[in-house]
Structures are given as C-alpha cells and as structure tokens.
C-alpha cells in the first residue's frame, strides 16, 4: 500500500473501483431480490402457526425450519447471483489483468 501511495497517490488505492462496482452492484441486487423471493415462497415451511401436511417436516422444530428456510434462500440467491453475473466478473478480471500486464 505504501508503494502505491508513493507512486500513484491516494487515488491509486481506488484504481479499479469502477470495475468492482460494475460487478458488485448487479450481483448484490440479484442476491437480495432472489433471497427475498425465495424466503417469501418458502416461509410457510418455517411458520409455526401454519400446519404442514408432511409428517417429517412437522416433526422438525419451527426454529430449525426457519433456519432451513433462510439457508435455502441464501443458497438459491448465491447461485442465481453467481450464474447471472459471472460474465461481468470475467470481463472485470480480464480488464484488470490486462491493465497489470501493460504496466509491468
């Protein structure tokens, strides 16, 4: 960090910030939208006041079911965000590596 500040100043620490936003903002948006949608769809399984017809699920304590809903929703959100933004991440990485090669 010291060498970057010495040669490029404080602005050098933020080089590539725009490219990071290029991938982070869409990924975060997709993640939260997918998480909320899945959690809403699956919330019936975590609600202790809603009877579940499945005997196996009914035997699991409500707090555990709520945790399972959150984990399943988070996993689904991560997969959706990764699959949909992978091309953007590839572009970002190639641009950053290309910049490193040209400066070396």
């Amino acid at each position: 960090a010291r060498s970057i500040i010495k040669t490029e100043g404080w602005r050098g620490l933020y080089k590539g910030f725009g490219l990071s936003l290029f991938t982070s903002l869409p990924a975060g948006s997709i993640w939260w939208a997918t998480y909320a949608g899945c959690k809403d769809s699956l919330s019936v399984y975590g609600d202790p006041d809603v009877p579940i017809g499945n005997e196996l699920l009914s035997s699991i304590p409500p707090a555990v079911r709520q945790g399972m809903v959150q984990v399943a929703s988070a996993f689904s959100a991560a997969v959706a965000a990764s699959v949909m933004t992978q091309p953007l991440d590839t572009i970002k990485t190639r641009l950053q590596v290309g910049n490193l090669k040209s400066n070396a």
Side-chain angles (χ1 to χ4, degrees):
R2 289 182 183 171
S3 65
I4 294 172
I5 294 171
K6 190 181 230 181
T7 58
E8 300 179 42
W10 285 97
R11 292 184 74 189
L13 294 175
Y14 292 96
K15 199 177 222 178
F17 182 67
L19 285 174
S20 293
L21 286 178
F22 177 70
T23 57
S24 297
L25 290 176
S29 299
I30 292 167
W31 192 95
W32 282 107
T34 305
Y35 177 78
C38 287
K39 196 170 172 199
D40 285 346
S41 296
L42 298 174
S43 65
V44 67
Y45 297 107
D47 190 345
D49 297 327
V50 176
I52 298 175
N54 187 319
E55 188 176 320
L56 177 63
L57 285 177
S58 296
S59 67
I60 300 171
V64 174
R65 288 190 312 214
Q66 289 170 348
M68 291 169 63
V69 166
Q70 290 175 340
V71 168
S73 299
F75 179 78
S76 299
V79 169
S82 296
V83 167
M84 294 179 75
T85 61
Q86 182 59 43
L88 297 176
D89 193 48
T90 300
I91 292 167
K92 177 194 75 146
T93 302
R94 288 187 181 180
L95 286 172
Q96 288 174 332
V97 170
N99 287 341
L100 289 175
K101 285 183 180 178
S102 65
N103 289 335

